[in-house]
Amino acid sequence: MATIPETMISSSQGTRPVPVIALGTATESSIAGIKIVAPSTLVEAIKMGYRHFDTAAVYQTEKSVGEAIAEALRLGLIKSRSEIFITTKLWCNSADRHLVLPAIKQSLENLGVDYIDLYLIHFPLKLIQEEIKFPIPSECVAAIDIKGVWEGMEECQNLGLTKSIGVSNFSVKRIKEILSFAKIPPAVNQVEMNPLWQQKTLNAFCKANGIIITAYSPLGAVGNSSWGHNRVMECDVLQEIAQSKGKTVAQISLRWLYEQGVIIAIKSFNTERMKQNLDIFGWSLNEEELNNIDQIPQYRHAYLNGALLVEHNDYIG
């Protein structure tokens, strides 16, 4: 079983550890409500050493994560709930001050746990949409009352329903807005980040303000027909480095992210690839390799769950 390093994030208990690798649970089929990742798959991940699961209300996988944790406890794979770090997210149709508390309580019920480790605002926008349906009509998208919603997030932490709060897909401008009035600053900002979209400015800003980046789509969401792309996996620079080091392109990309000091949300339910994705420790990229990656042309692949492109800088960092 692999041992995954940890980093520290701010919380209601001061700084607390979080595994730097999170297993993402969003899929095209789960968001469409067709097929949800099986709890047995997540139990296998726990056997491999995964201890951080990234889910969200919109992914419809919170119940699977909760059932997997319960089964891992029953099997003795973990001794207590506290050994698993759970990240979940407030969906945009609950992005109103009075809806935040009911939303996190629903997530807690879905997960079957007493608290969440990290609760994020999924996007800096509001959807006027009772049911989660895709594609999202443009007339259903509205401006978010970020001050009111953040007050709701702070209430969730103050009540002990979540240990930490944060945001997802927030730009520097949006985070500055929160910091101007927040009593509890964001602990994390989860955004698209990989060698082809390095988020240098955003990462530097977050580091300067004690906010940890979580990188999603670290491999470009390859294999996902709705919003994925192959540009990371087909990048000549990454392929050359992988060949010279005897590693996979995926491992090079993930190792690069680890060296940027971020949390990495990776997603694969293939047993062999799940193991390979954990084999990024105990070796490093040299200065020349890092410089070569630094020179890769940048390409932002912004999306809102494969349904609504959100390319405005107010939305995507």
Side-chain angles (χ1 to χ4, degrees):
M1 184 180 75
T3 300
I4 299 173
E6 297 174 326
T7 189
M8 305 298 286
I9 64 170
S10 59
S11 78
S12 56
Q13 301 171 329
T15 56
R16 64 190 301 259
V18 49
V20 298
I21 297 288
L23 185 66
T25 60
T27 66
E28 291 174 272
S29 55
S30 70
I31 291 172
I34 300 169
K35 182 182 178 182
I36 309 300
V37 59
S40 59
T41 301
L42 304 181
V43 171
E44 288 302 310
I46 292 173
K47 290 179 181 178
M48 293 178 196
Y50 287 90
R51 292 294 183 270
H52 182 178
F53 291 97
D54 181 84
T55 182
V58 74
Y59 301 165
Q60 303 188 58
T61 55
E62 290 174 328
K63 289 185 178 180
S64 291
V65 171
E67 289 173 13
I69 294 171
E71 180 65 6
L73 284 165
R74 189 187 71 80
L75 294 173
L77 300 175
I78 55 175
K79 294 179 180 179
S80 71
R81 146 76 180 97
S82 63
E83 293 181 37
I84 301 294
F85 192 101
I86 301 172
T87 296
T88 193
K89 309 176 190 77
L90 175 80
W91 183 235
C92 306
N93 62 359
S94 294
D96 263 320
R97 173 66 180 89
H98 69 287
L99 295 178
V100 177
L101 196 57
I104 194 173
K105 287 181 177 179
Q106 182 60 60
S107 287
L108 287 166
E109 181 180 333
N110 292 341
L111 288 158
V113 296
D114 295 328
Y115 69 91
I116 291 163
D117 294 279
L118 175 62
Y119 196 48
L120 307 177
I121 301 174
H122 208 146
F123 276 90
L125 53 84
K126 173 184 172 181
L127 293 182
I128 306 168
Q129 189 183 47
E130 290 186 11
E131 295 183 19
I132 298 171
K133 292 183 178 180
F134 297 103
I136 299 169
S138 59
E139 61 267 22
C140 289
V141 181
I144 187 174
D145 171 15
I146 192 61
K147 187 174 188 295
V149 172
W150 192 252
E151 287 173 353
M153 298 290 285
E154 291 177 327
E155 182 182 14
C156 292
Q157 180 167 321
N158 289 332
L159 290 173
L161 303 179
T162 182
K163 302 291 186 183
S164 302
I165 53 176
V167 296
S168 180
N169 299 297
F170 273 54
S171 64
V172 169
K173 177 182 176 181
R174 285 289 190 173
I175 296 174
K176 282 182 177 179
E177 184 179 359
I178 291 179
L179 292 176
S180 71
F181 55 71
K183 295 176 181 176
I184 303 173
V188 166
N189 183 21
Q190 183 175 129
V191 295
E192 178 191 3
M193 183 177 176
N194 55 58
L196 272 70
W197 187 237
Q198 297 181 12
Q199 298 275 28
K200 294 177 183 178
T201 300
L202 181 63
N203 194 21
F205 173 82
C206 286
K207 284 182 178 178
N209 287 276
I211 302 167
I212 298 292
I213 290 279
T214 294
Y216 69 71
S217 295
L219 308 179
V222 63
N224 191 308
S225 61
S226 290
W227 63 78
H229 60 83
N230 296 324
R231 283 181 289 274
V232 174
M233 301 303 287
E234 294 175 355
C235 176
D236 291 341
V237 172
L238 299 178
Q239 289 180 346
E240 290 173 8
I241 295 172
Q243 185 174 7
S244 69
K245 299 186 87 70
K247 301 292 182 181
T248 67
V249 171
Q251 288 170 331
I252 298 301
S253 181
L254 297 175
R255 177 67 200 188
W256 176 83
L257 283 163
Y258 175 63
E259 294 188 18
Q260 306 313 301
V262 305
I263 298 167
I264 312 164
I266 59 179
K267 184 179 63 186
S268 176
F269 305 127
N270 174 283
T271 303
E272 188 56 36
R273 286 198 294 271
M274 287 168 73
K275 291 178 181 177
Q276 289 178 359
N277 289 341
L278 294 181
D279 187 19
I280 64 168
F281 310 111
W283 56 277
S284 62
L285 298 167
N286 62 40
E287 185 175 352
E288 181 182 1
E289 291 162 345
L290 290 170
N291 287 336
N292 288 340
I293 293 174
D294 190 61
Q295 299 304 312
I296 294 173
Q298 296 296 284
Y299 182 91
R300 176 173 59 189
H301 191 75
Y303 67 85
L304 175 50
N305 289 315
L308 175 69
L309 286 176
V310 182
E311 294 186 344
H312 195 285
N313 284 335
D314 280 355
Y315 292 155
I316 301 295

